[in-house]
Amino acid sequence: MKLLVITDDPVELAAGENGTFDFNIAGTPEDALSMLSGDHYEAVIMDANSMTTSPVTDAYRSTQSPACQLILVVPPNSEIPIDALNEGIDGYISQPVTEESVRALWQVRDHVESEILRHRTELRHRDEEIATLVAISNIVTSNLEFVPLLAAIASETSRALDAERTSIF
Protein backbone atom coordinates (compact mmCIF):
# COMPACT_ATOMS: atom_id res chain seq x y z
CA MET A 1 0.00 0.00 0.00
CA LYS A 2 1.65 3.19 -1.19
CA LEU A 3 1.31 6.20 1.16
CA LEU A 4 2.65 9.73 0.95
CA VAL A 5 3.31 11.50 4.25
CA ILE A 6 3.57 15.30 3.95
CA THR A 7 4.69 16.95 7.16
CA ASP A 8 7.39 19.28 8.36
CA ASP A 9 7.35 17.58 11.77
CA PRO A 10 9.58 14.60 12.44
CA VAL A 11 7.93 11.30 11.70
CA GLU A 12 8.62 7.95 13.28
CA LEU A 13 8.56 6.14 9.96
CA ALA A 14 11.17 4.66 7.76
CA ALA A 15 10.79 5.71 4.15
CA GLY A 16 10.36 2.91 1.68
CA GLU A 17 8.55 -0.39 1.85
CA ASN A 18 7.88 -1.35 5.42
CA GLY A 19 5.76 -4.49 5.67
CA THR A 20 2.28 -3.61 4.44
CA PHE A 21 3.05 0.03 3.70
CA ASP A 22 5.35 1.75 1.25
CA PHE A 23 5.96 5.20 2.76
CA ASN A 24 7.14 8.19 0.80
CA ILE A 25 7.93 11.14 3.06
CA ALA A 26 7.86 14.77 1.92
CA GLY A 27 9.25 17.30 4.38
CA THR A 28 8.56 20.41 2.32
CA PRO A 29 5.72 21.57 0.08
CA GLU A 30 8.10 21.45 -2.89
CA ASP A 31 8.92 17.78 -2.21
CA ALA A 32 5.21 17.08 -1.84
CA LEU A 33 4.41 18.71 -5.18
CA SER A 34 7.01 16.68 -7.06
CA MET A 35 5.95 13.42 -5.37
CA LEU A 36 2.24 14.06 -6.00
CA SER A 37 2.83 14.80 -9.66
CA GLY A 38 5.11 11.80 -10.13
CA ASP A 39 3.16 8.98 -8.52
CA HIS A 40 -0.25 7.72 -7.41
CA TYR A 41 -0.96 6.85 -3.80
CA GLU A 42 -3.64 4.99 -1.88
CA ALA A 43 -3.49 7.69 0.79
CA VAL A 44 -1.93 11.07 1.34
CA ILE A 45 -1.27 11.86 4.98
CA MET A 46 -0.61 15.56 5.59
CA ASP A 47 -0.42 17.97 8.48
CA ALA A 48 -2.64 21.04 8.77
CA ASN A 49 0.17 23.32 7.53
CA SER A 50 0.48 21.37 4.30
CA MET A 51 -3.29 21.17 3.90
CA THR A 52 -3.60 24.94 4.05
CA THR A 53 -0.87 25.32 1.41
CA SER A 54 -3.03 25.72 -1.66
CA PRO A 55 -0.59 24.28 -4.25
CA VAL A 56 -0.29 21.05 -2.25
CA THR A 57 -4.05 20.46 -1.95
CA ASP A 58 -4.54 21.53 -5.57
CA ALA A 59 -1.88 19.03 -6.66
CA TYR A 60 -3.52 16.33 -4.52
CA ARG A 61 -6.89 16.94 -6.16
CA SER A 62 -5.53 17.08 -9.71
CA THR A 63 -3.13 14.15 -9.61
CA GLN A 64 -4.65 11.55 -7.28
CA SER A 65 -7.62 9.29 -7.98
CA PRO A 66 -10.89 9.77 -6.06
CA ALA A 67 -10.11 6.50 -4.23
CA CYS A 68 -7.01 8.09 -2.67
CA GLN A 69 -7.69 8.78 1.00
CA LEU A 70 -6.82 12.19 2.47
CA ILE A 71 -5.66 11.80 6.08
CA LEU A 72 -4.94 14.73 8.38
CA VAL A 73 -2.20 14.72 11.04
CA VAL A 74 -3.29 16.63 14.16
CA PRO A 75 -1.42 17.42 17.37
CA PRO A 76 -2.50 15.27 20.32
CA ASN A 77 -5.63 16.46 22.15
CA SER A 78 -6.44 19.12 19.57
CA GLU A 79 -9.47 19.68 17.41
CA ILE A 80 -9.56 19.17 13.69
CA PRO A 81 -9.39 22.58 11.98
CA ILE A 82 -12.57 23.61 10.15
CA ASP A 83 -10.51 24.20 6.99
CA ALA A 84 -9.50 20.55 7.02
CA LEU A 85 -13.10 19.44 7.39
CA ASN A 86 -14.01 21.65 4.43
CA GLU A 87 -11.31 19.91 2.37
CA GLY A 88 -13.17 16.61 2.88
CA ILE A 89 -10.65 14.61 4.88
CA ASP A 90 -11.21 10.85 5.11
CA GLY A 91 -9.64 10.45 8.55
CA TYR A 92 -7.03 11.73 10.94
CA ILE A 93 -4.00 10.53 12.89
CA SER A 94 -2.59 12.15 16.02
CA GLN A 95 1.06 13.19 16.01
CA PRO A 96 3.53 11.63 15.84
CA VAL A 97 2.83 9.66 12.67
CA THR A 98 3.93 6.10 13.30
CA GLU A 99 3.46 2.88 11.43
CA GLU A 100 1.28 1.73 14.35
CA SER A 101 -1.06 4.74 14.00
CA VAL A 102 -1.33 4.22 10.24
CA ARG A 103 -1.98 0.50 10.72
CA ALA A 104 -4.69 1.24 13.35
CA LEU A 105 -6.39 3.73 11.02
CA TRP A 106 -6.35 1.19 8.18
CA GLN A 107 -7.79 -1.53 10.40
CA VAL A 108 -10.72 0.74 11.26
CA ARG A 109 -11.09 1.68 7.59
CA ASP A 110 -11.04 -1.97 6.52
CA HIS A 111 -13.62 -2.86 9.17
CA VAL A 112 -15.92 -0.06 8.04
CA GLU A 113 -15.54 -1.09 4.40
CA SER A 114 -16.32 -4.73 5.22
CA GLU A 115 -19.43 -3.62 7.14
CA ILE A 116 -20.52 -1.51 4.18
CA LEU A 117 -20.03 -4.47 1.83
CA ARG A 118 -21.99 -6.72 4.19
CA HIS A 119 -24.86 -4.24 4.34
CA ARG A 120 -24.82 -3.81 0.55
CA THR A 121 -25.02 -7.59 0.15
CA GLU A 122 -27.96 -7.75 2.56
CA LEU A 123 -29.72 -4.94 0.69
CA ARG A 124 -29.08 -6.62 -2.66
CA HIS A 125 -30.51 -9.88 -1.29
CA ARG A 126 -33.56 -8.04 0.08
CA ASP A 127 -34.06 -6.31 -3.29
CA GLU A 128 -33.93 -9.68 -5.06
CA GLU A 129 -36.56 -11.08 -2.67
CA ILE A 130 -38.80 -8.06 -3.25
CA ALA A 131 -38.37 -8.37 -7.02
CA THR A 132 -39.34 -12.07 -6.82
CA LEU A 133 -42.44 -11.26 -4.76
CA VAL A 134 -43.44 -8.51 -7.18
CA ALA A 135 -43.02 -10.92 -10.11
CA ILE A 136 -45.16 -13.54 -8.37
CA SER A 137 -47.77 -10.89 -7.57
CA ASN A 138 -47.83 -9.78 -11.21
CA ILE A 139 -48.30 -13.36 -12.40
CA VAL A 140 -51.12 -14.01 -9.93
CA THR A 141 -52.81 -10.70 -10.73
CA SER A 142 -52.57 -11.24 -14.48
CA ASN A 143 -54.07 -14.73 -14.12
CA LEU A 144 -57.05 -13.51 -12.06
CA GLU A 145 -58.74 -12.26 -15.22
CA PHE A 146 -58.76 -15.85 -16.51
CA VAL A 147 -60.60 -17.23 -13.44
CA PRO A 148 -64.11 -16.48 -14.81
CA LEU A 149 -63.12 -18.03 -18.14
CA LEU A 150 -61.80 -21.13 -16.37
CA ALA A 151 -65.02 -21.35 -14.32
CA ALA A 152 -67.10 -21.14 -17.50
CA ILE A 153 -64.97 -23.86 -19.14
CA ALA A 154 -65.39 -26.07 -16.06
CA SER A 155 -69.16 -25.50 -16.07
CA GLU A 156 -69.49 -26.28 -19.79
CA THR A 157 -67.29 -29.36 -19.40
CA SER A 158 -69.43 -30.57 -16.49
CA ARG A 159 -72.63 -30.12 -18.50
CA ALA A 160 -71.14 -31.86 -21.53
CA LEU A 161 -70.05 -34.83 -19.40
CA ASP A 162 -73.25 -34.86 -17.35
CA ALA A 163 -71.09 -34.47 -14.25
CA GLU A 164 -72.03 -32.51 -11.17
CA ARG A 165 -68.72 -30.84 -11.03
CA THR A 166 -65.48 -30.75 -13.02
CA SER A 167 -62.15 -29.60 -11.59
CA ILE A 168 -59.66 -27.92 -13.82
CA PHE A 169 -56.96 -27.52 -11.20
Side-chain angles (χ1 to χ4, degrees):
M1 180 175 300
K2 196 165 193 162
L3 308 174
L4 174 61
V5 180
I6 306 169
T7 180
D8 52 7
D9 295 320
V11 293
E12 297 178 18
L13 297 170
E17 201 162 324
N18 193 354
T20 310
F21 304 109
D22 181 6
F23 292 106
N24 289 354
I25 301 170
T28 65
E30 294 76 24
D31 291 343
L33 290 172
S34 68
M35 290 178 169
L36 283 167
S37 63
D39 223 335
H40 292 283
Y41 298 93
E42 291 187 54
V44 174
I45 302 170
M46 65 174 77
D47 58 22
N49 296 339
S50 300
M51 191 166 284
T52 57
T53 305
S54 183
V56 174
T57 52
D58 290 345
Y60 164 78
R61 282 194 196 101
S62 65
T63 61
Q64 301 303 305
S65 80
C68 179
Q69 302 284 305
L70 180 58
I71 311 299
L72 178 67
V73 178
V74 294
N77 303 319
S78 68
E79 294 183 8
I80 298 172
I82 193 72
D83 294 345
L85 293 174
N86 291 336
E87 289 295 329
I89 62 170
D90 297 301
Y92 71 93
I93 297 175
S94 292
Q95 288 176 338
V97 178
T98 64
E99 185 175 351
E100 308 286 320
S101 61
V102 173
R103 189 175 310 285
L105 179 69
W106 244 253
Q107 285 174 345
V108 169
R109 182 181 151 263
D110 289 345
H111 175 72
V112 168
E113 283 184 1
S114 69
E115 285 296 306
I116 289 170
L117 287 175
R118 187 177 64 79
H119 287 293
R120 283 184 183 156
T121 302
E122 288 175 6
L123 289 173
R124 193 174 301 121
H125 181 68
R126 189 175 300 147
D127 287 347
E128 289 170 356
E129 288 176 344
I130 290 170
T132 301
L133 292 172
V134 167
I136 290 171
S137 172
N138 289 340
I139 290 169
V140 168
T141 304
S142 67
N143 287 333
L144 286 178
E145 56 193 53
F146 294 112
V147 170
L149 176 62
L150 294 173
I153 292 171
S155 175
E156 291 298 316
T157 305
S158 296
R159 207 171 339 156
L161 297 173
D162 289 329
E164 287 183 25
R165 187 172 157 194
T166 303
S167 175
I168 294 179
F169 302 104

